[in-house]
Amino acid sequence: MTQEAVGRDTSRGASDAERVTSRLRQAIVAGEFAPKQRLVETDLIEMFDASRGAVRAALATLAVEGLVERVRNRGARVRAVDLDEALEIVEVRAALESLCAARAAERVDEGGVARLRAIGEVMRAAVDAGDGEAYAQANRDLHQEVMDISGAKVAPDVVKRLRAQNVRYRIRLAMQPHRPTTSLPEHLEIVEAVCAKDPERAAEAMRAHLNSVYEATRDYFAKKG
Amino acid sequence: MTQEAVGRDTSRGASDAERVTSRLRQAIVAGEFAPKQRLVETDLIEMFDASRGAVRAALATLAVEGLVERVRNRGARVRAVDLDEALEIVEVRAALESLCAARAAERVDEGGVARLRAIGEVMRAAVDAGDGEAYAQANRDLHQEVMDISGAKVAPDVVKRLRAQNVRYRIRLAMQPHRPTTSLPEHLEIVEAVCAKDPERAAEAMRAHLNSVYEATRDYFAKKG
DNA sequence: GTGAACAACATTGTTTACAATAATGCACAC
DNA sequence: GTGTGCATTATTGTAAACAATGTTGTTCAC
């Protein structure tokens, strides 16, 4: 274990490799590295104060997760997701999250209803206040809460990985000022449908919402890239 | 590069790590390792005649893919998928493969129609001949062909990974002698629906088929494990 | 001035040795 | 006889040196 690195990190018992993996993943998802940007092992060693083994393990992990692209003897770089793939990801999310929404409507209890309604209120307030950051956070919370309530493991795992890949499009889409005007009612309908314990309606609400995300993404990025 | 290992492998330009990953994955999916069986690095080094680095990289990759389970300082073992998770996987497959079936119905061309119909004939013949192995292979071919025709990348990738995790249940389910009696018509309906270029019907056929797989899996493994 | 061969550099892939950790078995006290 | 503590062993985690590969810049011939 490197002595200097001790206590540098939030997660306690994590090994060096796990620590680097987690922080590099976070950095990529947060957009701190541009797509196609090279990830030179030496730089990462310095940046995270870790050994090469740890850095290489992290790159291998993130390559399987689809965040990093590796070419033999030519190194690693941040994978660039093109528009077509981003749209496919939204389609897959629609299929899986609508499934989870239906399950959530079947299983939701009082606590879940309270948490969902609370998120809905936060969203309303964020839109009123024009606070895009708060709205974006509540958006993540809502999708996560629905999947938590569903009790499923497989679908949420897949969705989580896919969402990470799509971060570039999500960030820039959320920039649009009037986007909440469309998405707020959709989100509230998801909340209401799940709280009403109506699986069909919940699945349809989720599908409709992600269909709207699909169209917004497609139109906004149509020519740019 | 180890000298003795040269030419031992099918894939030409693969590095040691890639070679070990691919062969270990294949071994696990083929059922050559029992679930929960320990994968000691030293043993794998000898088994595949590779360095520890290569073996460790392979274990890391397969851990992310969900085939291997790693515990810090306690090594790796083959991950055991329980029945609940196996059923979730079938549900997710239903959602994604029905999506792909619809896309396939929209995009299929003459060549695709020919290949699908050919697979259908192979299935019929296999059932007539009571050749379970041939039927299982045609089953894989059909699902793969539909996803190929769909032109999608994301959903098929996810499905492929999930199918690998479920191999234990698939293998044992296929053992049932009268299983093709149920599944053959379902498969043929998928073929016909896609060839008829009817997306709705294709999605519904795929959904119905995987629902049948779901029930068969649930009932067959209900008490056993 | 342009192209090709070559040499120097940067970067990754591989191997070996070393350190740390958890599991195991044994001895000893009670 | 049972349980606790310690020593041993098996196994993984980490680090550093070495080899191979790809890239870039330079020189020389034409």
Side-chain angles (χ1 to χ4, degrees):
Chain A
M1 169 92 66
T2 47
Q3 296 86 344
E4 318 95 50
V6 168
R8 173 85 58 89
D9 166 34
T10 52
S11 47
R12 259 292 144 184
S15 73
D16 262 28
E18 290 164 346
R19 183 175 57 89
V20 175
T21 303
S22 147
R23 293 177 65 180
L24 181 54
R25 181 193 294 115
Q26 192 178 342
I28 293 175
V29 171
E32 295 172 26
F33 294 94
K36 288 286 178 189
Q37 179 174 340
R38 287 194 62 191
L39 299 172
V40 177
E41 295 181 1
T42 312
D43 299 347
L44 299 177
I45 288 168
E46 216 177 306
M47 189 173 305
F48 296 117
D49 193 18
S51 73
R52 262 193 79 198
V55 168
R56 285 177 66 78
L59 290 173
T61 295
L62 297 178
V64 180
E65 289 184 8
L67 292 176
V68 160
E69 206 173 28
R70 292 183 99 182
V71 183
R72 250 180 79 83
N73 292 320
R74 294 183 57 181
R77 52 182 63 213
V78 178
R79 193 166 80 88
V81 176
D82 64 23
L83 180 58
D84 281 346
E85 186 172 354
L87 294 174
E88 272 193 53
I89 287 174
V90 176
E91 279 187 322
V92 169
R93 281 186 57 199
L96 298 187
E97 292 200 48
S98 61
L99 185 67
C100 289
R103 293 284 175 284
E106 291 168 359
R107 292 171 33 107
V108 67
D109 59 10
E110 296 167 20
V113 168
R115 287 193 298 278
L116 287 172
R117 289 244 160 84
I119 293 171
E121 286 314 308
V122 170
M123 284 185 152
R124 259 195 250 267
V127 170
D128 283 348
D131 187 344
E133 189 50 51
Y135 186 75
Q137 181 60 50
N139 176 23
R140 285 189 288 272
D141 290 345
L142 175 58
H143 285 272
Q144 188 59 51
E145 185 64 40
V146 169
M147 291 197 290
D148 285 350
I149 294 174
S150 78
K153 283 176 13 185
V154 176
D157 270 10
V158 172
V159 169
K160 187 175 178 185
R161 181 141 18 113
L162 293 178
R163 276 172 69 94
Q165 294 180 17
N166 244 8
V167 78
R168 189 162 71 110
Y169 295 88
R170 286 218 317 281
I171 284 175
R172 290 171 62 187
L173 183 61
M175 294 290 200
Q176 282 193 294
H178 60 287
R179 171 72 190 142
T181 309
T182 310
S183 66
L184 178 61
E186 295 168 358
H187 282 135
L188 296 177
E189 167 63 8
I190 293 170
V191 170
E192 285 315 306
V194 172
C195 291
K197 307 189 180 183
D198 184 338
E200 293 289 332
R201 184 179 158 201
E204 188 48 40
M206 184 64 82
R207 210 182 332 263
H209 169 53
L210 283 166
N211 192 51
S212 147
V213 171
Y214 181 98
E215 289 172 355
T217 304
R218 183 193 56 197
D219 296 344
Y220 185 65
F221 293 99
K223 338 212 147 166
K224 316 190 179 185
Chain B
M1 168 92 69
T2 49
Q3 298 84 346
E4 318 95 47
V6 169
R8 174 84 59 89
D9 167 33
T10 51
S11 47
R12 260 291 144 186
S15 73
D16 259 29
E18 290 163 347
R19 183 176 59 88
V20 175
T21 303
S22 147
R23 292 178 65 179
L24 181 55
R25 182 194 293 116
Q26 191 178 344
I28 292 174
V29 171
E32 295 172 26
F33 293 95
K36 288 287 179 189
Q37 178 172 340
R38 289 194 61 192
L39 299 170
V40 178
E41 295 182 359
T42 312
D43 298 348
L44 298 177
I45 288 168
E46 213 176 307
M47 189 174 305
F48 296 118
D49 194 16
S51 73
R52 261 194 80 199
V55 168
R56 285 176 66 78
L59 290 173
T61 296
L62 297 179
V64 180
E65 289 183 8
L67 292 176
V68 160
E69 206 174 28
R70 291 183 99 181
V71 183
R72 247 182 82 79
N73 292 319
R74 294 182 56 183
R77 55 183 59 213
V78 178
R79 193 165 81 88
V81 176
D82 64 22
L83 179 58
D84 281 347
E85 186 172 352
L87 293 175
E88 273 193 52
I89 288 174
V90 176
E91 279 187 323
V92 168
R93 281 186 56 197
L96 298 187
E97 292 198 48
S98 59
L99 185 67
C100 289
R103 292 285 174 285
E106 291 167 358
R107 291 172 34 106
V108 66
D109 59 10
E110 295 168 22
V113 168
R115 288 192 298 277
L116 288 172
R117 290 244 159 85
I119 293 171
E121 285 314 308
V122 169
M123 284 186 152
R124 259 196 250 265
V127 169
D128 283 348
D131 187 343
E133 190 50 52
Y135 185 74
Q137 181 59 50
N139 175 24
R140 284 190 288 273
D141 290 345
L142 175 57
H143 285 271
Q144 189 58 51
E145 185 64 40
V146 169
M147 291 196 292
D148 284 351
I149 293 173
S150 79
K153 282 175 16 182
V154 176
D157 270 9
V158 172
V159 170
K160 187 175 178 184
R161 179 143 21 106
L162 294 178
R163 278 172 67 93
Q165 294 179 18
N166 244 8
V167 78
R168 190 164 68 111
Y169 294 89
R170 287 219 316 282
I171 284 174
R172 291 171 58 189
L173 183 62
M175 294 292 200
Q176 281 193 295
H178 60 287
R179 171 72 190 144
T181 309
T182 309
S183 67
L184 177 61
E186 296 168 359
H187 282 136
L188 295 178
E189 167 62 9
I190 293 170
V191 170
E192 284 315 306
V194 172
C195 291
K197 307 190 180 181
D198 184 338
E200 293 289 332
R201 183 180 160 201
E204 188 48 40
M206 184 63 84
R207 209 182 333 263
H209 168 54
L210 283 166
N211 193 50
S212 148
V213 170
Y214 181 97
E215 289 173 355
T217 304
R218 184 193 56 197
D219 296 343
Y220 185 66
F221 294 99
K223 341 214 142 162
K224 317 191 178 184

